[in-house]
Amino acid sequence: MSAEKKPDFHVVNHAVPRRDARVKVTGKAQYVADLKLIGMAYAKVLRSPYAHAKILSIDASRATAHPGVYCVVTGNDLEGLNPYYGHAVKDHPLLAIDKVRYAGEAVAAVVAVDERTAFEALELIDVKYEELNAVFTPQEAMAEDAPLLHEKQFEAGALRGFEGEVTAGKGSNICQKHHIKWGNVEEAFKNAAAVVEGDYYFPMTYAYAMEAYVAIADVTDQGVNIYSSAQHPFMVRHDLKSVFNLPVSKVRLIVPFVGGGYGSKSYTKIEPLVAACSWKAKRPVKLQLTVEEAMLTTRSDDAYTWMRTAVDANGKIIARQAKIFMNTGAYAENSPLVVEKSTNRCVGPYAIPNVLIENCSLYTNTVPASSYRGFGCAQVTLPGESQIDELAAKIGKDPYEFRLANAAKPGEEFFPGMRPFDGTLKQDLDTAARAIGWNTPLAKGHGRGVACSGSDAGAYPLTSTVVRVHADGSVTIMTGSTELGQGSHTVLPQIAAEELGVDFDKVNVVSSDTAITPYDRSTGASRTTTLMGSAVLEASREAIQQMVVMAADVLKVKVEDIQTVRGGVRCGEAQLNWSEVISKFYALPDGEVIGRSYIRKSGRFSALPVFWEAAATGVEISVDQETGKITMEKLATVGDVGLAINPALAEGQDIGAATMGMGIGLFEELIYEGSQLVNGSILDYRLPRFSDLPKEVELHLVQNQDGVGPYGAKGGGEASLNSMAANIANAVDRATGVRIRHAPLTPEKVWRALKDKNIQGSKV
Amino acid sequence: MNLQFVLNGKPWRVECEAQETLAEVLRNTLNLNGTKVSCEVQVCGACTVLVDGAPVSACTYLAYEARGKNVTTIEGLEKPDGTLDPLQQAFIDEFAFQCGFCTPGMIMSAKALLDENPAPTRAEIIHYMDGNICRCTGYVPIVAAIQRAAQAMGKETKK
C-alpha cells in the first residue's frame, strides 16, 4: 500500500449504484436503435460478393422504380461531396467508387419507406463487376506480383493520433510502418546467456457490440444532424465536416446510450453513408446494420509476429527484437495507430536495455481492421508474455519470480522519452499469484499462469467540460464522454459530488451532443476517468472559486475572508450553501454558475502516455488430454488503477476485459476461406457464454493513488484483456508441456499439439 | 391480420402482417423498445420475452403465434407503484450490466428460470442462462444477481 494516507472520501472510492441503473433494468434506456424521427426513411445496403473487382456499371433504375423506394445511392451519385474519409488516412469511400476492395463492401444503398421495402429493392440493383486478383494475408499483399488495393495517393487525416508519417498510398500495399530502437540488439543477442525465439499469430477477432452499428441522419440546409452509436462523436464530426464541406458548427452528432463499443465503435463507421442517403433522399434516414453486416464492417488487426528475447547470466532481460506484420484489411481506419501502439507495447512492462521492434501493416482484400479493446496490445502481449515464460523455463526460473525481477519499477523510465512508469507491477503480480494459489500443489493436467501488461494509454489529452451549479444546489455536468456501459455517467458525477459537496443524486449528466457538450477528443484508450474526470474536478473547483467571489459580494466582505466548507462557504458565524450563494447573488431562487475546464498536453499531462495502463491476470486451467479442451479453473484480475472512483465499476471493467481476452485465448477467431469470411455470424463465431465462466473468479484492485487523474486515479478496462491469451498458453505449457504460439487455443489445436508431442516425445 | 393478445397484463388488439415477428410488433407497432434485437438468429437472447411464462426469442417468433396468449416484456416487470421486480433490483445491486443492451433479455430469461426453479444452484443458473450472451460483464455479476434475487424472493414468500 502507498505510504500516503487516503483522504476520507465522501462519494468517490465508493461503489455507488450506477446512474443509469433504473432505466437499463426497466427497458427504458434509449439507444439509437430505438429512436424514430418524423418522416424518417430506412436504408439497406447492397454489398459486394467479390473481394477485389472493378465496378463496370451499376443500373439502379428498377430498384428506384420499386414502389416505396425514395432513392438509390451509389458511388456515382456523390458529386458535390468529398466521399473519402478517414481520421488517419482518407482512403475510405463512403460507398465503393469504381472498384470494391473486400467481399461485403457497401456498393449501393436503397432508401425506402420501411426496411423490408428497402431490402426487397436491393435485389433489383444490377451491378456488373470485373474480378481482379486479390490478397488476403500480409504475406500475399507483400508479394512482388500482388495486385495493388489503392492506386492513388492519399491525404493524411488531420487527427491520426500519432506524430509519425502516414505510410499508406505510396504505390504499395503497405498501410503503415513503424519501428522503435534503442541500445544494440545484435550485440546483446551475441552476448546473451539464453535466447528464445518464435513465430506467433494473433487472430482476427470481432468485438460483437450487441447493438450493431446504427445511425440516423437528417441532412438539411441547416446542416448535418446525426444520431449515432459512436464512441467518438467529435472525431466523427470532423470526418463529416470534410465529407460535406461544412463548418464544424453545422455538423451535430448526438450519442444516446451505446449498446457496447469495446473500441469497435471508435472513429467513423456508417455515418457518412447514412448522411449521404439523407442528403439524396432529402429526409431523415435510419440505417441499422445487422450483426452479420457489422461483422463485415470492422474487426481487429490479426498479427504475425516473429520475436526473440534474451537474458544475461543473472536472469536479467537484456534484449528483445520483433518483426510484426499486421493485416489491416481493405481500409486503414485506425490501424496506423494500432501499428504504432503494438510496436510500443512489445516492450512493456519490462525494462529492456536493447530493443528493436519493426512493424508493418498491409492492406488486404478483407474486412477493414481497426481499434479493438487494448488496441495493438493483445496482439503483441501474446508473444511478449509467452516468451517471458519460455525464457524462465529455459533458464530454470519460476516465471512469476522472473517477471518480478524484470518488471518496470514505479517511477522507472523504462521506455525512453515516455512518462516514467506509474504502476506497481510487483504488487499486481503478487496479488494475482496469491489469488490463484501460485505455490500450492497442482492437480494432474492443471497448469497456472500469471502475466501482466502495461500499455501506453489515454490517447491524446484534449478534453473540456462544463459543470453548471444551479440555484437549487443541483448540478449538471456537460461532457463529451460517451456512456458505453463503462460507467462514465456514474463516475463523473461522483467526482463533481465529491468536490462540490452535494448529494450524488443531485448531479446530472448531459453527454455526447457535439452541438451542446464541450469538446472531448474520444471515449477510448481508457481515458475518460483520468482526463474527463480531471476536467470535471477542475471545472467543479472553478465553479467554487466563482461562488466564493459571489459569496463575498452577498455577505459584503472581502474574498479573502470567505472560507470554503463542504457544500458551501463560511464567514465568521455566517454559513451559506451553494444554493443560498447563487440565489442571494441573483436575488432570485434561480440562475446558475458555470464552471469550466479544459485539459491539453501541458502541465501534468505534458508527458505521454497520459498513464501506463497496468494489470495482472492469473489463471489456472486444466486440459482434457483426450479432446484438447481447456477448462478455466480459476481466473484472477488485478487492475492497477491508482484509485477506483467506483470500485465495483472498475472491477466490472476488468472481468469484462479478461473474459474477452479469454474468448480470444480459447476460441474466438474470424476465419477466411478464400475471399469469404466463413464464420460471419453469431451462429458460427464462438463467443464466451455462461458455461465458459471460470469455476472460481477473484477480482482485485491495486490502489496506490499514483495516477495523474483525479485523486491519483488512472484508467483501466483494457489491460486485463491483453495478457489473457499468453497466460492461457503459458498455463497449457505448464499443464501439458506443449507450447502453442497461435491463438486461439482451440481443442483441435491443443489436441494436435498433444498428439505431436506424444509422437515426437518432445515439445513442438 | 388482426392480433389479439394479453401484453403485460392488458388485452391488446393490433394489426400485423403474417411475416412480422413479435419483436417487430412490440418495437415498431407498440413502441415498446425495451425488447432489444441483436443477432436475429435466436442465439444471443437479447430479445427474450415470456409467452405464457415460457422464454422465447421475439426476433424469430412470429407475432401471430402470440394470438390469445400472455406476453410479458421487460416493461411488464415494474409494479405500477414503481417497485422493481426483485431481479431488476438485484441486477442494480450486483452491477450486473454495463451497456445494458442484453439486460432486458437477460432479466426475462432469469425470470423464467426463477419462476420454474426458485432456488437454483450456480450450475443450474449457468445451464439455464447459456442462451443469453453478455459481452460486457463476464457473467460473474449476473450469476450473483440471480442468486441474490432468488434469496430475496425466498424471504418474501416465507414472510
Side-chain angles (χ1 to χ4, degrees):
Chain A
M1 292 301 289
S2 155
E4 189 191 351
K5 189 185 176 304
K6 278 177 211 167
D8 291 323
F9 293 116
H10 293 87
V11 193
V12 307
N13 208 219
H14 288 64
V16 303
R18 295 183 65 101
R19 172 52 54 81
D20 51 11
R22 201 174 168 102
V23 289
K24 283 184 174 172
V25 299
T26 54
K28 287 174 188 145
Q30 293 210 329
Y31 302 78
V32 179
D34 304 325
L35 303 182
K36 290 175 190 165
L37 301 187
I38 302 287
M40 186 171 87
Y42 296 80
K44 277 283 171 195
V45 178
L46 183 72
R47 295 176 183 278
S48 166
Y50 298 108
H52 199 190
K54 267 190 205 162
I55 298 173
L56 300 177
S57 65
I58 304 180
D59 179 0
S61 56
R62 284 195 306 145
T64 309
H66 189 65
V69 169
Y70 292 116
C71 66
V72 178
V73 189
T74 73
N76 299 327
D77 301 318
L78 306 178
E79 202 163 322
L81 304 183
N82 304 312
Y84 288 87
Y85 68 91
H87 67 285
V89 186
K90 287 194 181 186
D91 63 355
H92 204 158
L94 62 93
L95 278 169
I97 295 172
D98 301 335
K99 73 182 239 181
V100 291
R101 295 181 177 85
Y102 71 98
E105 180 165 4
V107 173
V110 174
V111 183
V113 65
D114 56 37
E115 270 195 322
R116 216 177 288 270
T117 307
F119 187 73
E120 283 165 7
L122 292 180
E123 278 189 9
L124 307 174
I125 302 172
D126 187 21
V127 186
K128 289 202 165 45
Y129 297 94
E130 180 190 317
E131 219 178 332
L132 302 168
N133 288 336
V135 291
F136 304 102
T137 63
Q139 293 75 12
E140 289 172 10
M142 284 183 291
E144 235 166 69
D145 59 345
L148 203 56
L149 266 82
H150 296 273
E151 292 82 3
K152 66 172 200 151
Q153 195 89 15
F154 305 124
E155 212 183 308
L159 303 175
R160 59 187 183 273
F162 57 95
E163 284 168 6
E165 284 292 302
V166 165
T167 323
K170 303 227 162 86
S172 79
N173 286 325
I174 292 173
C175 173
Q176 185 66 16
K177 277 181 120 158
H178 189 64
H179 77 276
I180 54 172
K181 181 177 194 268
W182 58 81
N184 185 336
V185 171
E186 284 306 323
E187 198 64 26
F189 277 99
K190 258 186 239 159
N191 301 327
V195 176
V196 290
E197 178 177 344
D199 290 298
Y200 302 79
Y201 177 68
F202 188 93
M204 293 180 188
T205 58
Y206 169 56
Y208 188 35
M210 292 187 69
E211 175 201 38
Y213 298 109
V214 55
I216 301 169
D218 189 13
V219 179
T220 66
D221 63 348
Q222 301 292 301
V224 173
N225 282 355
I226 297 185
Y227 293 85
S228 178
S229 176
Q231 288 183 227
H232 308 342
F234 290 89
M235 294 288 247
V236 178
R237 180 181 70 171
H238 197 90
D239 272 332
L240 284 161
K241 151 198 155 69
S242 143
V243 169
F244 284 88
N245 198 21
L246 287 172
V248 154
S249 59
K250 286 203 165 178
V251 180
R252 182 178 187 183
L253 264 288
I254 303 171
V255 183
F257 284 120
V258 175
Y262 326 110
S264 73
K265 290 177 181 166
S266 48
Y267 306 99
T268 305
K269 302 294 178 202
I270 60 171
E271 295 89 352
L273 173 55
V274 68
C277 288
S278 172
W279 170 75
K280 187 164 182 200
K282 296 185 168 42
R283 63 185 65 237
V285 175
K286 183 174 195 171
L287 174 59
Q288 166 76 67
L289 298 194
T290 63
V291 169
E292 284 81 358
E293 287 180 292
M295 296 178 90
L296 294 171
T297 303
T298 310
R299 61 171 175 84
S300 73
D301 291 77
D302 49 323
Y304 299 75
T305 303
W306 166 82
M307 184 182 274
R308 59 174 179 162
T309 308
V311 285
D312 66 12
N314 301 321
K316 167 88 185 106
I317 301 174
I318 52 166
R320 176 167 279 178
Q321 183 179 7
K323 280 195 177 128
I324 309 161
F325 292 101
M326 304 190 92
N327 180 350
T328 195
Y331 297 102
E333 299 238 345
N334 200 37
S335 286
L337 185 60
V338 172
V339 167
E340 174 174 293
K341 289 295 181 189
S342 55
T343 309
N344 294 346
R345 291 167 179 185
C346 278
V347 181
Y350 299 96
I352 307 176
N354 302 287
V355 166
L356 174 60
I357 314 291
E358 295 163 286
N359 198 339
C360 178
S361 75
L362 287 121
Y363 285 120
T364 65
N365 297 107
T366 60
V367 172
S370 191
S371 304
Y372 181 104
R373 201 170 197 165
F375 47 118
C377 194
Q379 282 90 332
V380 296
T381 304
L382 171 65
E385 282 295 271
S386 292
Q387 291 210 335
I388 297 293
D389 266 51
E390 291 177 69
L391 255 182
K394 197 159 185 178
I395 60 173
K397 291 225 173 197
D398 177 281
Y400 156 70
E401 300 287 346
F402 183 58
R403 278 188 174 77
L404 286 188
N406 284 285
K409 296 185 175 49
E412 184 171 3
E413 201 182 303
F414 77 102
F415 196 114
M418 290 228 202
R419 179 185 291 278
F421 193 66
D422 53 2
T424 318
L425 287 165
K426 181 178 184 322
Q427 200 180 342
D428 305 342
L429 288 162
D430 273 347
T431 309
R434 236 192 342 266
I436 59 159
W438 181 254
N439 286 320
T440 58
L442 263 176
K444 192 173 178 309
H446 285 228
R448 294 193 186 112
V450 283
C452 55
S453 103
S455 47
D456 45 335
Y460 191 81
L462 176 46
T463 286
S464 46
T465 191
V466 159
V467 172
R468 300 162 63 189
V469 185
H470 307 289
D472 67 350
S474 66
V475 176
T476 304
I477 299 170
M478 317 282 284
T479 174
S481 298
T482 303
E483 175 60 88
L484 308 168
Q486 84 283 37
S488 58
H489 279 200
T490 307
V491 163
L492 298 175
Q494 280 184 266
I495 294 167
E498 184 72 41
E499 287 301 314
L500 289 159
V502 302
D503 288 348
F504 172 68
D505 291 339
K506 284 191 179 164
V507 187
N508 198 21
V509 182
V510 171
S511 82
S512 305
D513 178 338
T514 62
I516 294 173
T517 54
Y519 184 88
D520 184 26
R521 181 195 175 275
S522 53
T523 303
S526 308
R527 72 197 289 282
T528 296
T529 297
T530 308
L531 291 171
M532 186 54 77
S534 294
V536 167
L537 180 144
E538 287 174 13
S540 302
R541 289 184 183 173
E542 206 245 5
I544 290 173
Q545 281 172 15
Q546 293 181 53
M547 291 189 288
V548 165
V549 175
M550 291 160 78
D553 183 276
V554 165
L555 295 171
K556 305 202 175 358
V557 297
K558 286 184 193 150
V559 171
E560 307 85 270
D561 296 334
I562 300 284
Q563 190 193 346
T564 56
V565 295
R566 186 169 167 76
V569 291
R570 183 160 55 203
C571 178
E573 293 292 292
Q575 188 155 335
L576 299 175
N577 61 28
W578 301 132
S579 169
E580 290 164 333
V581 171
I582 297 169
S583 304
K584 286 181 194 293
F585 182 78
Y586 291 121
L588 199 74
D590 222 344
E592 67 185 63
V593 169
I594 300 171
R596 300 153 307 163
S597 126
Y598 61 88
I599 281 167
R600 62 190 181 111
K601 191 176 172 297
S602 155
R604 68 185 197 280
F605 296 110
S606 51
L608 291 181
V610 175
F611 59 95
W612 289 98
E613 186 171 346
T617 56
V619 299
E620 180 177 326
I621 56 100
S622 61
V623 180
D624 184 329
Q625 303 276 336
E626 297 287 308
T627 63
K629 185 178 186 299
I630 298 168
T631 299
M632 295 292 294
E633 303 288 339
K634 289 182 188 170
L635 167 66
T637 63
V638 185
D640 190 335
V641 296
L643 183 95
I645 303 298
N646 188 315
L649 293 179
E651 288 176 355
Q653 283 295 296
D654 282 341
I655 179 63
T659 303
M660 286 187 138
M662 179 187 84
I664 300 166
L666 295 178
F667 36 67
E668 281 191 45
E669 177 175 29
L670 290 168
I671 298 166
Y672 265 90
E673 272 175 22
S675 64
Q676 303 294 324
L677 185 62
V678 293
N679 61 343
S681 103
I682 296 304
L683 281 170
D684 302 309
Y685 185 83
R686 172 81 162 85
L687 290 152
R689 290 178 168 276
F690 273 92
S691 49
D692 299 306
L693 237 171
K695 289 180 188 162
E696 292 174 40
V697 177
E698 281 194 28
L699 311 176
H700 295 273
L701 297 171
V702 166
Q703 304 187 64
N704 291 332
Q705 292 188 273
D706 47 10
V708 287
Y711 322 107
K714 296 175 287 193
E718 293 182 353
S720 302
L721 184 155
N722 299 330
S723 57
M724 282 297 289
N727 217 344
I728 290 169
N730 290 341
V732 166
D733 190 345
R734 283 162 65 85
T736 64
V738 298
R739 169 56 60 179
I740 296 171
R741 297 185 176 91
H742 291 204
L745 281 74
T746 57
E748 180 185 341
K749 227 177 263 174
V750 176
W751 180 82
R752 286 187 188 283
L754 289 169
K755 207 172 129 206
D756 287 351
K757 179 198 161 202
N758 291 339
I759 292 166
Q760 296 167 7
S762 67
K763 280 193 191 183
V764 290
Chain B
M1 295 168 96
N2 188 270
L3 169 64
Q4 292 187 50
F5 66 128
V6 177
L7 176 60
N8 296 329
K10 280 192 171 180
W12 279 88
R13 185 183 300 166
V14 294
E15 280 300 313
C16 77
E17 289 176 45
Q19 75 274 28
E20 272 188 295
T21 65
L22 183 54
E24 286 175 311
V25 168
L26 291 171
R27 291 178 53 83
N28 301 341
T29 311
L30 296 168
N31 282 315
L32 279 180
N33 287 312
T35 302
K36 300 299 178 211
V37 174
S38 182
C39 75
E40 298 182 272
V41 285
Q42 253 179 38
V43 173
C44 75
C47 63
T48 305
V49 300
L50 305 186
V51 177
D52 285 346
V56 305
S57 294
C59 72
T60 44
Y61 188 92
L62 288 175
Y64 195 64
E65 291 291 308
R67 67 190 181 281
K69 294 184 177 160
N70 261 299
V71 176
T72 310
T73 69
I74 189 70
E75 288 91 348
L77 293 196
E78 188 182 346
K79 290 194 185 129
D81 71 356
T83 313
L84 295 178
D85 184 274
L87 267 166
Q88 291 172 310
Q89 189 58 50
F91 268 64
I92 294 176
D93 295 339
E94 292 290 343
F95 291 80
F97 55 88
Q98 291 176 24
C99 83
F101 206 77
C102 75
T103 310
M106 198 66 80
I107 290 177
M108 296 315 289
S109 288
K111 180 161 173 52
L113 163 64
L114 295 188
D115 286 348
E116 193 181 308
N117 177 358
T121 62
R122 182 177 186 270
E124 286 169 340
I125 292 171
I126 286 172
H127 179 73
Y128 195 94
M129 297 298 295
D130 212 30
N132 286 73
I133 293 175
C134 170
R135 202 56 168 146
C136 294
T137 65
Y139 305 107
V140 172
I142 300 178
V143 173
I146 295 171
Q147 287 170 326
R148 186 185 187 120
Q151 261 178 6
M153 289 157 81
K155 275 183 200 151
E156 197 60 33
T157 28
K158 273 178 207 151
K159 267 186 200 170

